[in-house]
Every structure is written in C-alpha cells, then in structure tokens.
Amino acid sequence: MLIFERGAPGRVNAPQMPRPPAPPGDIPPALLRRAPPALPEVSELQVVRHYTRLSQRNFAIDTHFYPLGSCTMKYNPRAAHVAALLPGFANRHPLAPESTGQGLLACLFELQEMLKDVTGMRAVSLTPMAGAQGEFAGVAMIRAYHVARNDLERDEILIPKAAHGTNPATAAMCGYRVREIDVRADGDIDLAALDAAIGPKTAGLMLTNPSTLGVFDRHIEDIAQRVHAAGGLLYYDGANLNAILGQVKPGDMGFDVVHLNLHKTFATPHGGGGPGAGPVGVGERLLPFLPVPMVGESGGRYYWITEKTRPQSIGRLSAFAGNVGVLLRAYVYARLVGREGMARIAQYAALNANYLLGRLSRLGFEPAYPGRRAAHEFLLTLKGLKEDTGVTALDVAKRLLDKGYHAPTIYFPLMVPECLLIEPTETESRDEIDGFVAAMAEVLAEAKTTPELLKSAPHTLPVCRVDEVRAARELDLAWRAHPTKA
Amino acid sequence: MPFIPHTAAETAAMLEAIGARSVDELFDEIPARLRSGPLAGVPEALTEHEIGRLMRERAAADGEFLTFVGAGAYEHHIPAAVWEIAGRGEFYTAYTPYQAEASQGTLQLLYEFQTMIAGLVGLDCANASLYDGASALAEAVLMAVRLHGRSRRVLIPETVHPLYRKVVQTIVSAQSITIDLVPMNAAGTTDAGGLARGLEGAAGLVIPQPNFLGCLEDVHAMTASARRAGALAIGLVNPVACALLAPPGEWGPGCDIAVGEGQPLGAPLSSGGPYFGFMACRREHVRQMPGRIVGRTVDVAGQEAYTLTLQAREQHIRRSRATSNICTNQGLLVTAATVHMALLGPEGLRRVAAASHANTAALRARLEAIPGVRAAFPDTPFFHEVVLRLPVPVPEVLRALEAQGILGGCALGEFYPALTDSLLVCATETKTETDIAHYAHHLERIVSKRRLDPPCAYKDDNPRSP
Ligand SMILES: Cc1ncc(COP(=O)(O)O)c(C=O)c1O
C-alpha cells in the first residue's frame, strides 16, 4: 500500500509545522498555487510505521552479506554518522564565514592530506559528489591541460572494454570520442591493441587497476609509458582502491589523475543510491586545473581556495563544497582505521576474496581468469552451467536472495558471459564467507537437479521475480500523476 | 583490528586454504618496485572515544549562529522522525536497488518520492534524484539541448543563482553548448526585452522562481515566450515555495522540465551537502531524462512490485551514448525528503512556505525602518528573501553581526557589482519575532555607530563562502 492511500483529507501533524501564518496578501494571485499539491495527509505514527515497514523490505549491509562486486559493501561505522550530525557541523550554513568553520575545515584539510598520501598524488580536491563526478572532473582536467598547451587535435579517450559504464559516459560528457581497447584472455590489457589505438589523437587512457575483472594489470608501467610517450595522460578510476590501499599507489603506477569513491573505500553509507563523494587527486601536470573549492592552510588557519586564486581551475561542480557530510564521515573512518589499519584493509579484502575464490572454484564454479590472483574481488562465469542446465547468472542471483545473501554483481563487465563479480570486503568474517559458500553449493546442486527452482526464484522475498519488461513498456512512474495541459 | 573481524587463527587457516604463506603473497602480481612503504601521511589510529571527542571539540568550535542567510540553502525545522527513519540501517546501508526483489522498500519509497515531486511541480514524472540543485540545472540544460535537436544555445537569466551559473558552465562547456545571459532589470527580475531578443533560435530558457534575489519572476509570460520561440522551458524552483506558488507545470502553457535544490525538504545545512537535486518533466520527454527512474509493475505472481526502469538511458547500458554519466545519486537524502514531505503534507508544506514569506516580510519591515537601510526592489513581490541596500560597507556589517552570534545575510557585491552595497536576507519559519527584533536591534546599532564614527579606509579582509 502506498503512503498516499493511507491518508485522509484534513489530517495534519500540527506539532511538526508552524502555526497558521497570515495569508501572503502581497503576492499577486496569478503567481499563487491554485490547488494544494497531492501530498499524503497522514499522521506521524502512520508515517513512521509505513516507512519502517518499507525498510524491512530491503537487504542492506546491516542485515545481509552483500558481496556486490565493484561496490565495496563494507560495514559503515556508526561513529562516523554520529559525528557528521553534530549540531556544529549539521547546522552550519555553506556561506557562513571561514571564521565560523575552522573545525570543519581542519577535518577537510586533513582528509585532503591523507588522500594525497594513499593515492600518491600532489593535491586533492574533495568537491566531486560521486565517482562519476570525480571522473568528470578528471577528464575535464585532462582536456584543460591539452587546451592550455594548445594541443587541440586530441579528441579521443581510450577505455578498456571491461571499464565501468561511467568511464565512457564521462568521456562523452567531456566532448571526447571513446575508443575501446580489448582485454586479453588473461585479463590484462592487450598491448598490441593499445599500440594500434594510441596516437596523436589520444587525450588519455582511463583505467581501473585492479580492473573490474578483479585482476591487477601486470603491465601497468608499460601502459603508462606508452600513453605518456604518445602525449596522453593516465586516468585512474579509484572505485577499486580498496584492493590496493597502502600496497601500491596510483601515483607510483604512473597515473596523472585519480578519483576515489569514499562511499566504497572509506566506508561511507550507500544510502540506497547515495550520497557519495568522489574526490580527485592529481600529479604535477594537472595541479592548476583542480576543481574548486579546496581547503588551504596557512599558519594554523584554514581557508577556502577558490577560482580567485585558481584562474585555470575547471571550475565548480556543485553550488557549494560538495557532499561535506560524506567527507566528514570518511574523515572519521580514516582516523579510526589509522596508518596500519589502512594497509590492512587491502590485505584482508584480498585475503577474503582469494579465500572465497578458492572455495568456490573447488565447488566447481568456473573463474573467468583462472590462475590469476583475485584482487579484492573476482569474476566467475556461469557459461558452462548455462549450457548444461539452462540456468543463468540472473537465476543464480535470484536464488541466492532466497538463501539470505545479497546477489553479487551480474552481467558486468558485459564482455564476460554470464558473469558474477564477487566482492566480500574485509569486514566480513570467515564464518560469514563460509555460509555464503554453503549457499552457493546448494544453488549449484539445485541448478543441476531442479533448475525450475532457480528459474522462478526468488520464492521467499516480499515479491516474486519482478516483471521489468512490463515496467518499461507500460510506464507507471507516479501514482495518479498530476495531469498536465498538453 | 579496526573493522576487521579475523582472529590470527582464522587468518592462518584461510591462508592455508589459499595455499599462500603470507597475506603479502596475495599481492605478488604487483611489480615489487611499485609496492609502497608505510603511509606516512595517515596518522595512527584513534579510538572511537578519541575521535568522538575531537569531532565534538571541532563542531563546538564552529559554534551555533542565528542564521539569516539563505542564498540557496535554507534552515527549516526537520521533524525528529525524518532522520530516525532515514538513519535506519536498512535504508542507510543498502546499495542502489539493482536487485528489485531485495530492495522493494527503497524502490517503493522512490516511487512515492517521484509522485510527491511530480505533484509538487505539477509535471508528469520525476527521477529519483541528481547530485544537487546546481548540477541538476546543468543536466536540465543538456536535456533541453538533446530534446531540441537543432540548437545548442540556452538562455540563463542573470537572476539565477550565480554559483549555479558557474556549475552549469563547468559541466556543459565541453559539449560546445553556449550559455547566454539574460540581463536583469531595475526591479530585480528578468528583462523582458533582453529575453525576447535572446530567445530566437534558442534550445531552452531557464526560469527561476523565486529568483536568486528572492524576487518573483513573471513566469507565465516567460514560459509563454519560450514556447512561442520553440525553446524548452526549464523551471528552476524551490520545492517549499511550490507549495504556495504556482508550480512550473502551471506556468503559462506549462514548463517542459523542472529542477531544483531539494535541501529545504529535510536536509541539514551541513556546510553545503549532502543535499539532492530533483528533476521532473512532461511524459513525452522522459526518455531524455538523466538519472534513476523507478516504475511500478507486477511480479510473476501478479502482485504489485517496483523496479528501476528505462535503464537503456543510463551509463551501465548505453555507455558513451547515455543521457548522463550519473550513477550513484543522493538516495539517503531522498529518503529523508520523502518522510519529510509525508509528515508535513500539503498543509504543512504550505504553512512552512507562507510562514517563511511572512517572517521575511516582517524582517524587511523592521530593517527598512533603520535610517539608511532600504529595499533594493521595493515594489517586486518576493518569496522568502529580500535584497537590502545598506548605508555602510556590507562586509563590515556582517563581521559586526557575527560578533553578536548573527549571520546577517549574503553579501551580493561579489556576484553583482551593482549591488555592492546590498545584502540578501532570509527569515524562514524558524525565526521568531524575538530573533527578528534581535537582528534589527544590532543592525541599527552597527549602522548608526558606523555613521558617527567612519574609519578612514575600508578593506575587505574577510573572504567568505566556499
Ligand atoms: C569501477 C567503477 N567506476 C566508477 C563508478 C561510479 O561511481 P559512482 O557510482 O559513485 O558515480 C563505480 C561505481 O558505481 C565503479 O564501480
């Protein structure tokens, strides 16, 4: 039942709203609204009960193991949430003067410094509001760099086939044509294909390493050298930084620019689809182009760095300073984890991933890149299983939900047929992982004996398999949508 | 170990199962010379108590002020239930609802949110959020250019938030789109002559209501002009104002797209974010809308169910030909906004809007009574912000007010050279008569003292704003 269907005309929550104000007699009637908006008219208890019940129809990290590859669904510490909502932070207006924000700015400055270190970059801007906006900032800086050098022929960005969809979409938003590069059977980039594509039109290469195939590209220095030799720059999609935190730095691999997903690596919540934060870090060449604002420090005072002192900046990406509350959460997380803890994250993410890969392989699941180490995640292909039983990756995913496990990422990367991308993260215990292995074993057995059980899964959730085709064909996007005059 | 549950015995057993001697061996595909040493730039770990204390000290140092600043972020009462619900782990720690059957809670909530936003702005459908109001405006500009198909020029009035204009410039400039500024008239609204001249051959027109200066634009005429010129009309609105003012869908012949900043619907000010951008449009435009969209459908047993839909617009399917690169958006803020709107309902939201208007009118009357202080646009109707001209330098006034615990408004000189002597002030429903009297008392004191006792030179040494 929808919240709208629970309402009754005239029901109000008086304590939550102001007392009835004087009518706005000075506003011309033509500019006033004629009929009230169709919002629900429900009591506070009805609201609380409705949304509490809805929440119970979700899987979340707090309720389920959530091995969603490329998404780093690790525990989100509550101390970070509590700190970000302290009144001094939560009630501060974005245009309040710097003098009233020294505590906040200290946190942001220190976060910039920590991110510089873990990425091996010269400077960091925290302002992008998610990974994709970080990518936008990065590619826009690459563009600004070439333009500043009057090197105007470069109109292509190279992107491996396995890349996340935001990479090509970002390149296009920055006005570039995308050239896709093949990946070899062992998961590394095809250097011959790279050589064939690279040239005077190359503005840069966008790369995730470890890639979204879950393996570390062993030729990264070679790749960097080739891109630089052709006059291009190297972009690091840091959505997978959890895999290498404290082990190897993108700057040392030769990257010129990186974005991080703090809502992955730095344990800020995903909130059912955000908010995120996608800081960008750059090396020497891109320093002048960083997006503003950033935080500077001088003599123990913190201040905003704006376009006034950064005339070559690509500019602003949000009205104010980005998702500050997310940055505060990431800051608290980083301080709780500390220097050694930071390096342990990648170690235990890798331990869990390799342990799980080993156990699933022994059960008979087929790794997409056998013989390779898993990074913090790994890819299985169910191509063989589908040929034998007709069961697809989608069916396996849905059946796992019945067993109380959130499904891994499916059908991404698109180039590997019937794939499952599995990322356990470092915050899961061995017992939890063993439980998942047992569930996968059951699903595999069922696929062979009772495939219909998988094809019609899930069976135990609030709804059975959802008809997505109908959703797209018979669009219903709003309850009794407000009619418009055509 | 922080947030890592493994005991030494478990680690050893797992390594044995893998067949590795050490955790380090798991990184043996990384060229050894690239491996990094200790992270010198990251301090030693703190305990939860220690970081809690540090954060409390820093938050307390930032203080609490009586805020009369608006300029794109507004202090409203947020009912206690809003963040109690939004903070529930089942919402707080879920991912984007890709697995529909395991995400019906978030999906139904998003469908309700889309319905509420569509109703509020008077259009057919809304998406599940964009990053913030400014980036949502940039996406609307891109959408209008796609829909128009022939022109890559969009008009934005000078009365649109100056920081929004900067963001639009950053985001659309690489796609060879031209943004033409429509000048402002003496009434603080968009100049009709300038608009008429600019509209010919334009793909779209942005129409702010209220505009950045708090003034109400002649939205019916502007929308009609856009329609006549074949340009898409993009309404840029405050969602709270929509409960009181005519919504974009009812302006003249009706807007095509509406966008805005969702912060006034349950998001704390939080120094600028996280907030959320919202976007709504006419049904025939929905396939060019960026961002997540939730649809209602059925499951195989015929029960009502919800799912992400029209995904062929998005980056994970369409890649370089997607409507936008946006992926993660602002889900948690949307959760809060949905609960917020449900709690307030149509009457509550209208009261918040009307009370904010009434308080701002009262504030303006009190401040205008101070000798030398006058409204910059005295005859223009306003929503919940007004521009005041001051007889003494604005930065100096703001500093003196700050010393009294008052954030007195947004100085306009940086954005509008002609308004260097002006302050944009806002009094939402959170301000009482006493607050307003307190502000008026101090402003009067500061203004009269400064008139009697002028300094020899004035220097702005207090940079503000991010
Ligand atoms: C590899 C990769 N790159 C980029 C992104 C985009 O990040 P965001 O969703 O924060 O925009 C993601 C996650 O969704 C990702 O997994």
Side-chain angles (χ1 to χ4, degrees):
Chain A
M1 198 187 212
L2 291 163
I3 188 80
F4 305 97
E5 296 164 304
R6 299 186 189 277
R11 188 175 288 151
V12 293
N13 292 307
Q16 278 80 16
M17 59 183 71
R19 293 184 187 83
D26 52 338
I27 299 180
L31 295 182
L32 290 174
R33 184 168 190 129
R34 288 187 300 251
L39 294 176
E41 297 179 84
V42 280
S43 72
E44 179 169 356
L45 173 58
Q46 284 179 305
V47 171
V48 169
R49 193 172 285 158
H50 178 77
Y51 289 108
T52 300
R53 286 204 184 145
L54 281 192
S55 78
Q56 291 164 339
R57 292 160 75 93
N58 269 1
F59 278 31
I61 303 175
D62 281 5
T63 58
H64 293 83
F65 180 55
Y66 212 125
L68 195 63
S70 202
C71 299
T72 312
M73 296 297 278
K74 58 164 96 173
Y75 175 63
N76 307 144
R78 286 309 193 277
H81 185 54
V82 169
L85 293 181
L86 288 168
F89 294 135
N91 299 339
R92 186 173 177 279
H93 192 281
L95 298 177
E98 286 160 353
S99 50
T100 71
Q102 289 297 306
L104 169 77
L105 292 171
C107 296
L108 299 184
F109 182 81
E110 290 169 19
L111 180 61
Q112 283 176 189
E113 293 299 303
M114 289 190 274
L115 297 184
K116 267 159 67 175
D117 191 23
V118 300
T119 58
M121 290 285 149
R122 283 284 313 277
V124 166
S125 168
L126 300 173
T127 182
M129 291 177 282
Q133 222 194 20
E135 290 175 38
F136 179 89
V139 178
M141 284 191 273
I142 290 177
R143 188 187 176 87
Y145 167 82
H146 292 306
V147 170
R149 291 159 44 96
N150 211 21
D151 187 354
L152 306 174
E153 297 302 305
R154 301 182 182 274
D155 63 354
E156 286 179 359
I157 292 277
L158 311 181
I159 301 179
K161 279 223 170 86
H164 194 264
T166 49
N167 291 191
T170 298
M173 272 185 97
C174 291
Y176 284 113
R177 286 193 300 131
V178 173
R179 266 185 95 150
E180 292 206 324
I181 309 294
D182 276 326
V183 176
R184 293 191 320 211
D186 65 2
D188 288 346
I189 283 203
D190 184 337
L191 290 175
L194 180 66
D195 282 338
I198 213 161
K201 292 208 156 293
T202 305
L205 169 72
M206 295 180 85
L207 202 66
T208 314
N209 197 24
S211 69
T212 49
L213 304 172
V215 296
F216 188 91
D217 199 305
R218 294 163 290 192
H219 310 293
I220 181 60
E221 291 164 293
D222 231 358
I223 295 169
Q225 192 273 325
R226 287 169 203 218
V227 173
H228 284 148
L233 297 186
L234 251 89
Y235 185 94
Y236 182 86
D237 177 335
N240 285 354
L241 198 75
N242 216 53
I244 57 164
L245 215 50
Q247 310 301 320
V248 52
K249 301 180 184 183
D252 295 339
M253 291 188 240
F255 287 92
D256 300 288
V257 48
V258 355
H259 91 264
L260 282 81
N261 277 12
L262 299 185
H263 46 305
K264 296 178 180 178
T265 315
F266 283 73
T268 70
H270 281 271
V280 274
V282 297
E284 191 68 36
R285 282 188 270 204
L286 295 179
L287 278 176
F289 307 109
L290 278 165
V292 290
M294 292 184 283
V295 182
E297 185 263 351
S298 140
R301 297 292 291 173
Y302 299 95
Y303 59 93
W304 292 111
I305 298 170
T306 69
E307 51 276 77
K308 284 192 194 121
T309 54
R310 292 270 173 163
Q312 287 186 285
S313 164
I314 57 158
R316 286 172 187 262
L317 298 163
S318 66
F320 302 110
N323 284 338
V324 174
V326 178
L327 301 171
L328 282 174
R329 286 174 175 84
Y331 173 75
V332 170
Y333 174 75
R335 297 298 309 265
L336 282 168
V337 165
R339 182 178 304 149
E340 277 109 52
M342 206 69 86
R344 261 193 313 254
I345 289 170
Q347 291 173 344
Y348 284 82
L351 178 70
N352 279 356
N354 282 284
Y355 173 75
L356 181 53
L357 170 60
R359 291 215 52 197
L360 292 177
S361 307
R362 266 170 266 137
L363 282 181
F365 284 99
E366 189 186 335
Y369 297 97
R372 296 296 306 265
R373 287 275 186 220
H376 63 315
E377 63 189 359
F378 59 90
L379 201 60
L380 300 179
T381 174
L382 305 185
K383 193 163 158 270
L385 187 71
K386 186 180 172 195
E387 278 159 14
D388 294 347
T389 65
V391 162
T392 64
L394 182 73
D395 300 331
V396 168
K398 298 301 182 196
R399 187 62 182 147
L400 276 170
L401 303 178
D402 276 335
K403 315 254 174 209
Y405 293 92
H406 193 281
T409 295
I410 50 176
Y411 301 110
F412 170 73
L414 292 162
M415 49 179 276
V416 178
E418 299 301 325
C419 64
L420 300 179
L421 185 61
I422 304 180
E423 178 179 11
T425 85
E426 75 282 3
T427 61
E428 298 295 338
S429 66
R430 185 181 65 167
D431 289 346
E432 197 68 56
I433 294 172
D434 287 343
F436 179 70
V437 171
M440 287 287 277
E442 284 172 29
V443 173
L444 189 60
E446 287 169 358
K448 290 173 182 161
T449 54
T450 47
E452 356 35 275
L453 202 58
L454 277 69
K455 302 232 108 291
S456 55
H459 303 280
T460 59
L461 271 76
V463 295
C464 306
R465 201 173 293 192
V466 172
D467 188 345
E468 300 190 358
V469 175
R470 173 173 154 154
R473 199 181 299 136
E474 297 169 31
L475 282 185
D476 173 357
L477 308 180
W479 184 77
R480 256 196 245 150
H482 192 284
T484 47
K485 298 168 287 172
Chain B
M1 295 184 290
F3 313 114
I4 295 173
H6 303 60
T7 64
E10 282 171 333
T11 303
M14 290 170 81
L15 281 171
E16 195 185 327
I18 295 168
R21 280 179 310 275
S22 68
V23 175
D24 222 39
E25 202 179 311
L26 302 176
F27 296 90
D28 56 7
E29 290 191 359
I30 301 178
R33 63 192 162 276
L34 291 181
R35 296 291 302 278
S36 44
L39 295 168
V42 180
E44 297 292 337
L46 297 180
T47 65
E48 188 176 296
H49 173 73
E50 287 164 344
I51 186 71
R53 186 157 173 179
L54 176 70
M55 295 303 277
R56 281 195 301 280
E57 280 165 14
R58 287 185 172 175
D62 288 355
E64 294 221 42
F65 289 82
L66 189 58
T67 299
F68 291 91
V69 194
Y74 302 95
E75 184 180 44
H76 290 294
H77 174 69
I78 302 171
V82 170
W83 282 94
E84 284 291 316
I85 298 288
R88 284 181 67 91
E90 300 93 329
F91 286 131
Y92 189 75
T93 74
Y95 200 74
T96 300
Y98 291 135
Q99 289 293 338
E101 299 83 1
S103 317
Q104 285 297 299
T106 290
L107 286 164
Q108 182 177 330
L109 180 141
L110 291 174
Y111 177 84
E112 293 179 355
F113 168 79
Q114 291 173 186
T115 302
M116 292 181 195
I117 292 292
L120 209 50
V121 302
L123 289 169
D124 302 314
C125 30
N127 72 8
S129 83
L130 297 166
Y131 300 131
D132 76 340
S135 60
L137 181 61
E139 289 281 13
V141 166
L142 294 173
M143 180 175 165
V145 167
R146 285 194 300 273
L147 284 167
H148 191 274
R150 295 176 309 282
S151 165
R152 301 185 76 75
R153 192 168 64 83
V154 173
L155 298 187
I156 302 191
E158 210 183 341
T159 60
V160 164
H161 198 309
L163 296 173
Y164 282 37
R165 286 189 263 126
K166 289 189 183 195
V167 172
V168 170
Q169 199 61 48
T170 308
I171 293 176
V172 311
S173 60
Q175 297 186 53
S176 56
I177 288 168
T178 309
I179 301 295
D180 276 349
L181 218 54
V182 190
M184 174 165 86
N185 60 26
T189 56
T190 300
D191 179 59
L195 181 62
R197 281 190 296 281
L199 262 175
E200 200 173 322
L205 166 68
V206 175
I207 307 172
Q209 186 77 323
N211 70 26
F212 176 66
L213 303 168
C215 298
L216 299 185
E217 299 271 2
D218 187 355
V219 290
H220 300 297
M222 290 174 81
T223 310
S225 311
R227 177 64 59 85
R228 270 196 307 278
L232 283 103
I234 303 167
L236 172 64
V237 289
N238 176 323
V240 168
C242 283
L244 181 70
L245 302 178
E250 294 174 13
W251 297 351
C255 271
D256 296 283
I257 304 168
V259 289
E261 173 55 67
Q263 177 275 329
L265 300 172
L269 289 170
S270 189
S271 290
Y275 299 167
F276 69 94
F278 61 86
M279 178 182 270
C281 69
R282 294 165 174 274
R283 178 176 300 272
E284 63 263 34
H285 299 329
V286 69
R287 285 188 161 73
Q288 286 302 335
M289 187 150 68
R292 313 281 186 203
I293 299 176
V294 174
R296 179 159 69 164
T297 177
V298 292
D299 68 4
V300 290
Q303 311 173 73
E304 190 169 281
Y306 301 86
T307 182
L308 292 174
T309 194
L310 295 179
Q311 297 193 62
R313 300 164 299 113
E314 294 191 65
Q315 44 75 29
H316 58 287
I317 310 284
R318 192 57 61 84
R319 300 178 73 85
S320 65
R321 301 185 51 224
T323 48
S324 166
N325 67 345
I326 194 167
C327 178
T328 292
N329 43 90
Q330 305 284 120
L332 191 67
L333 285 303
V334 163
T335 304
T338 306
V339 178
H340 188 86
M341 286 189 274
L343 276 170
L344 286 175
E347 173 63 10
L349 214 54
R350 193 195 63 82
R351 275 197 209 174
V352 171
S356 300
H357 172 75
N359 282 348
T360 300
L363 177 69
R364 169 173 143 172
R366 285 300 287 263
L367 301 187
E368 264 187 321
I370 300 169
V373 176
R374 59 195 172 86
F377 312 111
D379 302 321
T380 310
F382 58 91
F383 173 50
H384 69 354
E385 280 174 283
V386 288
V387 178
L388 297 173
R389 293 197 185 269
L390 303 185
V392 294
V394 174
E396 205 174 296
V397 171
L398 289 177
R399 265 198 307 275
L401 286 168
E402 187 192 323
Q404 302 301 326
I406 299 169
L407 297 183
C410 171
L412 292 174
E414 185 186 331
F415 304 131
Y416 300 92
L419 295 174
T420 300
D421 65 349
S422 299
L423 188 63
L424 180 66
V425 297
C426 170
T428 63
E429 91 288 358
T430 58
K431 298 298 166 292
T432 62
E433 262 182 63
T434 318
D435 295 337
I436 291 170
H438 183 65
Y439 183 13
H441 166 75
H442 284 289
L443 184 63
E444 176 152 25
R445 195 183 47 75
I446 292 160
V447 166
S448 56
K449 177 164 177 285
R450 175 60 168 63
R451 287 180 126 190
L452 298 175
D453 181 23
C456 21
Y458 159 67
K459 185 166 154 286
D460 179 7
D461 58 2
N462 187 29
R464 337 165 359 103
S465 87

